[in-house]
Each structure stands twice: as C-alpha cells, then as structure tokens.
Amino acid sequence: MSDEFYRIKRMPPYVIAEVNAMRHAARQAGRDIIDLGMGNPDQPPPQHVIDKLCEVAAKPDAHGYSQSKGIPGLRRAQSNYYQRRFGVELDPEREVVVTMGSKEGLSSMATAISAPGDVILAPSPAYPIHTYGFMIAGATIRSVPTTPDENYWRALDNAMAYTVPRPTVLVVNYPSNPTAETVDLDFYERLVAWAKRNEVWVLSDLAYSELYYDGKPTRSILEVPGAIEIAVEFTSMSKTFSMAGWRIGFCVGNQKLIAALTRVKSYLDYGAFTPVQAAACAALNGPQEVVEQNRARYQHRRDVMVESFTRAGWAIPNPPASMFTWARLPPGFENMGSLEFSKRLLQEAEVAVAAGVGFGEEGEGYVRIAMVENEQRIRQAARNIKKFLADYGR
C-alpha cells in the first residue's frame, strides 16, 4: 500500500505554515510575538451582525441543512451590493453563489472547470490558492507577472503562443495579495478584450474590494461591458466586515461558470450555517459606516507602519490598498532569503511576517507585512526591528 498520494505529492510544504508554527511555539513559551504575518482582522464584526446571528440561531428551525448555493436573501443582498458599489446588475438566481469564503470558492471552481493536463495562467507572486487550487485539481500552472505593466501583456501573449495545450483560464487578483498592487478600469477593459480574443475564462479575486486608501476606490472587472461573458469575480466578508472566521464569500458573474461551481458545491457541502448567512445579510443590507471605519483604521495603520519602519531603517512601500505591504528584505539581508529572514525576525525581534517565497518563486527576496495589530503594537514592532537591524550590523 503506497503512502505517496498523487495530489499530496504535487504540493510542496506550506511555507507560511512553517513560520506560523514557530510563532505558536514562541507564544506557548511565553514570548510576546507581534504578529504581522497572517491577514487576520483583529476587530470584531459590527454588533448588529452579531445580534442577528444570535437571533436567528435561537430559532429552533434554523439548525438544519442550509442551501449549498446560499439562501435567496443573501444572494439578493450581494446582488444589491454590486449594484450600488459598481453599478453592475446581477441575477441573484443565476449569477450569484455563496461560498464558504473566497478561498473555498476558488478551490471549488478549480475542481469544477479544470481537468488534468489543462493549463492555467496564474500570477506569481500569488496567494497560494490561486495556483494550488488548480494543481490539486490536476491542472498545470503557467506563471505570469503580478505587476500589471507591459511585461504582463507580453507574458500573456507568449503564454498563448507557446503553451501546449493552450491555457483555458486566467486568474487575476487586484488589489493583489501579497503585493497590494491595484489596477484601473482601463486595465480590465484591455483584459476583457484579450480574454475574448483568446477564448480564456477570467477568475477575478476581489477579496480586498473595500480596503482601498487615499480616496481611490477599487474597480470590478464586471464593470466592463461584456465582461460577464467571460468572467466571474470572488469577494469576501472576511476583511470588509471583520468576519474572517465566519467563512462567507461570493462568486458572481458568468452564468456557465456559476452553474458549474454551484453543481460541484452541491456534491461537496450543504452551505454555510443558516444563521451565519442571515447575519451576512444584515452586514450587507445594514449600516455601512463600519466599512468606512475599517478602511480608515487600516489606512492609519498603514501610515504608522510606513513611517515607523522607515525611521527604524527599513524603508517599506506605501500600499494603495489591501491590509498588506510587500517589502524587500532590508539592506544587508538580501542574500539571506525570505524564509530564513522571517525566522530570524521572529526569533530575535519577536515580530512575525510572511516569507515572500511562500507566495511563489517570484516572491523570494520579499516579505508580506500585515497591518493587523494596533498602532501601539506596530510602533513596538518598529522599535524591535530597529534594534535587530543595529545588532545585525555590528
């Protein structure tokens, strides 16, 4: 009996989990680790959302199986969100499906639409599910750049010209996790035209739709006329409403892709717990001040982080969106490698960050730093890092 399972062999060790295990062990030993590694919101959801969860959970008939594609009220709420936020009209019955977070949605979509041997275009560096969801399904990944410049378009054209079989799906993620890069509507217009010309499906991950800064809202690919003919988009309640552990997200757009995802999910799950879906309705339909407050909170943390880390001797970028900054290793550490640097930073400065190599080969030389601690803790992290850099330079 072999223990060399096909899909497990295709998956390398999860680098991010290695640093997470070290962080957990350090905390178990009583060390005060400032965790800037995982994009895990530190604020609770709005009180009215929690109240709705409790209200519905108290009903005796709320504990049976739910609907795999989501209760009708939640699909309507997401449709209404797209209308007021992006001016996009969606049919909640045929163009919206509820997922257990965008991560589950992406992996289930990969299972639904790809077969062993298919070639998928995915960014590098990228959030791991953008590549490994398809690899688990048996597909092959061809990487394209994350940065949306002219090199990106050349890479897409080269992939179509020189890859056999021709790629069938393109994954895009803006604001990017991990790089925090953003795009404008012109980019999506060009992308939709390219996808139609090359007969490629587009999966857009818009998990950070509401974490944008400096008054520059993110855009949706579905704003482009005709985009729904070739694209779907994934969004999440996790960051917008600080509901990460609730596992609620959405996939919206092209009816064929939505139908395929819905069918696969019908075999895999019975949907999220009904009271959680009802609470998600309350979040989308209720007061939206919390969204603005979250955005303002993360923007202030961003400003504090960039200012304090730079003064500490580590100049980091000023991200236009998301809850991350994507930073090159500090001067003098360039040859260490991102994983070893992350380990050293955790052990010696008590600051956890995510090693860039965990997001793909092109992530080497970088780390992802999350803005998930308050301003006081961020400043403390900067002081720890300043001492770490000074000690290393001696």
Side-chain angles (χ1 to χ4, degrees), residues 87-207:
V88 172
E89 292 187 11
L90 295 168
D91 178 352
E93 186 61 30
R94 296 185 296 171
E95 296 174 342
V96 180
V97 62
V98 179
T99 63
M100 295 182 183
S102 55
K103 188 173 184 179
E104 179 273 323
L106 281 156
S107 62
S108 293
M109 181 67 82
T111 300
I113 67 173
S114 59
D118 283 356
V119 177
I120 309 300
L121 302 177
S124 180
Y127 186 58
I129 199 64
H130 295 154
T131 54
Y132 291 111
F134 284 97
M135 289 178 66
I136 291 169
T140 299
I141 300 298
R142 174 156 179 161
S143 295
V144 295
T146 300
T147 300
D149 57 15
E150 286 304 314
N151 287 330
Y152 178 83
W153 300 107
R154 280 193 290 271
L156 290 185
D157 288 338
N158 286 340
M160 299 310 298
Y162 302 113
T163 306
V164 178
R166 283 169 63 87
T168 56
V169 176
L170 168 66
V171 180
V172 295
N173 172 215
Y174 300 105
S176 167
N177 179 6
T179 71
E181 291 168 295
T182 59
V183 295
D184 56 20
L185 198 58
D186 288 345
F187 173 88
Y188 284 135
E189 289 173 347
R190 185 173 177 182
L191 186 66
V192 169
W194 178 90
K196 288 185 174 183
R197 188 167 62 251
N198 288 282
E199 299 183 336
V200 171
W201 296 112
V202 179
L203 311 184
S204 169
D205 183 355
L206 191 60

Side-chain angles (χ1 to χ4, degrees), residues 23 29 31 51 76 88 129 147 180 238-240 276 328 337 351:
R23 179 200 64 213
R31 300 181 66 186
D51 291 343
R76 286 194 298 269
V88 172
I129 199 64
T147 300
S238 297
K239 310 309 189 293
T240 303
V276 171
R328 289 186 180 274
V351 176

Side-chain angles (χ1 to χ4, degrees), residues 15-295:
V15 171
I16 297 172
E18 186 174 348
V19 178
N20 287 346
M22 291 179 60
R23 179 200 64 213
H24 177 72
R27 284 183 165 170
Q28 289 293 103
R31 300 181 66 186
D32 180 22
I33 303 300
I34 301 172
D35 187 7
L36 307 179
M38 189 174 182
N40 195 15
D42 63 325
Q43 299 295 309
Q47 188 59 48
H48 71 275
V49 175
I50 297 173
D51 291 343
K52 178 58 72 172
L53 172 70
C54 296
E55 173 194 330
V56 179
K59 297 179 178 180
D61 62 349
H63 301 274
Y65 295 127
S66 190
Q67 294 189 33
S68 178
K69 69 177 183 178
I71 61 175
L74 183 52
R75 286 182 277 115
R76 286 194 298 269
Q78 176 69 353
S79 178
N80 291 337
Y81 163 74
Y82 259 78
Q83 176 62 60
R84 67 175 182 264
R85 175 66 168 81
F86 300 113
V88 172
E89 292 187 11
L90 295 168
D91 178 352
E93 186 61 30
R94 296 185 296 171
E95 296 174 342
V96 180
V97 62
V98 179
T99 63
M100 295 182 183
S102 55
K103 188 173 184 179
E104 179 273 323
L106 281 156
S107 62
S108 293
M109 181 67 82
T111 300
I113 67 173
S114 59
D118 283 356
V119 177
I120 309 300
L121 302 177
S124 180
Y127 186 58
I129 199 64
H130 295 154
T131 54
Y132 291 111
F134 284 97
M135 289 178 66
I136 291 169
T140 299
I141 300 298
R142 174 156 179 161
S143 295
V144 295
T146 300
T147 300
D149 57 15
E150 286 304 314
N151 287 330
Y152 178 83
W153 300 107
R154 280 193 290 271
L156 290 185
D157 288 338
N158 286 340
M160 299 310 298
Y162 302 113
T163 306
V164 178
R166 283 169 63 87
T168 56
V169 176
L170 168 66
V171 180
V172 295
N173 172 215
Y174 300 105
S176 167
N177 179 6
T179 71
E181 291 168 295
T182 59
V183 295
D184 56 20
L185 198 58
D186 288 345
F187 173 88
Y188 284 135
E189 289 173 347
R190 185 173 177 182
L191 186 66
V192 169
W194 178 90
K196 288 185 174 183
R197 188 167 62 251
N198 288 282
E199 299 183 336
V200 171
W201 296 112
V202 179
L203 311 184
S204 169
D205 183 355
L206 191 60
Y208 296 90
S209 60
E210 299 306 326
L211 291 187
Y212 59 82
Y213 310 126
D214 306 314
K216 297 178 180 178
T218 55
R219 308 303 295 262
S220 164
I221 191 173
L222 297 180
E223 293 181 72
V224 178
I228 203 166
E229 297 168 13
I230 49 88
V232 290
E233 194 155 66
F234 295 85
T235 56
S236 170
M237 306 290 285
S238 297
K239 310 309 189 293
T240 303
F241 294 98
S242 300
M243 295 169 63
W246 297 48
R247 308 315 301 138
I248 287 288
F250 304 91
C251 179
V252 307
N254 180 269
Q255 292 183 16
K256 289 183 179 179
L257 293 178
I258 294 295
L261 174 58
T262 301
R263 186 168 182 179
V264 163
K265 282 178 60 60
S266 72
Y267 284 94
L268 297 177
D269 66 70
Y270 285 110
F273 186 37
T274 299
V276 171
Q277 295 195 55
C281 288
L284 287 170
N285 294 334
Q288 298 300 297
E289 289 84 353
V290 64
V291 179
E292 298 173 7
Q293 292 166 0
N294 273 347
R295 185 182 304 126

Side-chain angles (χ1 to χ4, degrees), residues 221-386:
I221 191 173
L222 297 180
E223 293 181 72
V224 178
I228 203 166
E229 297 168 13
I230 49 88
V232 290
E233 194 155 66
F234 295 85
T235 56
S236 170
M237 306 290 285
S238 297
K239 310 309 189 293
T240 303
F241 294 98
S242 300
M243 295 169 63
W246 297 48
R247 308 315 301 138
I248 287 288
F250 304 91
C251 179
V252 307
N254 180 269
Q255 292 183 16
K256 289 183 179 179
L257 293 178
I258 294 295
L261 174 58
T262 301
R263 186 168 182 179
V264 163
K265 282 178 60 60
S266 72
Y267 284 94
L268 297 177
D269 66 70
Y270 285 110
F273 186 37
T274 299
V276 171
Q277 295 195 55
C281 288
L284 287 170
N285 294 334
Q288 298 300 297
E289 289 84 353
V290 64
V291 179
E292 298 173 7
Q293 292 166 0
N294 273 347
R295 185 182 304 126
R297 179 182 297 111
Y298 283 113
Q299 180 168 330
H300 185 55
R301 289 179 180 182
R302 177 202 67 171
D303 295 342
V304 169
M305 181 177 285
V306 170
E307 182 266 336
S308 61
F309 277 46
T310 299
R311 283 196 297 105
W314 187 5
I316 62 175
N318 194 32
S322 85
M323 55 167 46
F324 307 112
T325 184
W326 181 243
R328 289 186 180 274
L329 301 187
F333 292 86
E334 296 91 346
N335 296 325
M336 181 177 288
S338 61
L339 180 57
E340 181 61 26
F341 173 79
S342 299
K343 293 178 178 179
R344 292 279 296 273
L345 195 68
L346 178 66
Q347 293 166 345
E348 300 177 32
E350 298 187 324
V351 176
V353 298
V357 71
F359 301 94
E361 182 180 348
E362 297 302 320
E364 184 56 273
Y366 293 82
V367 294
R368 190 193 70 180
I369 310 172
M371 301 175 283
V372 292
E373 296 260 18
N374 63 40
E375 290 85 349
Q376 180 181 351
R377 297 277 285 172
I378 290 172
R379 292 189 188 280
Q380 181 61 55
R383 289 192 290 270
N384 293 3
I385 288 169
K386 183 176 182 179

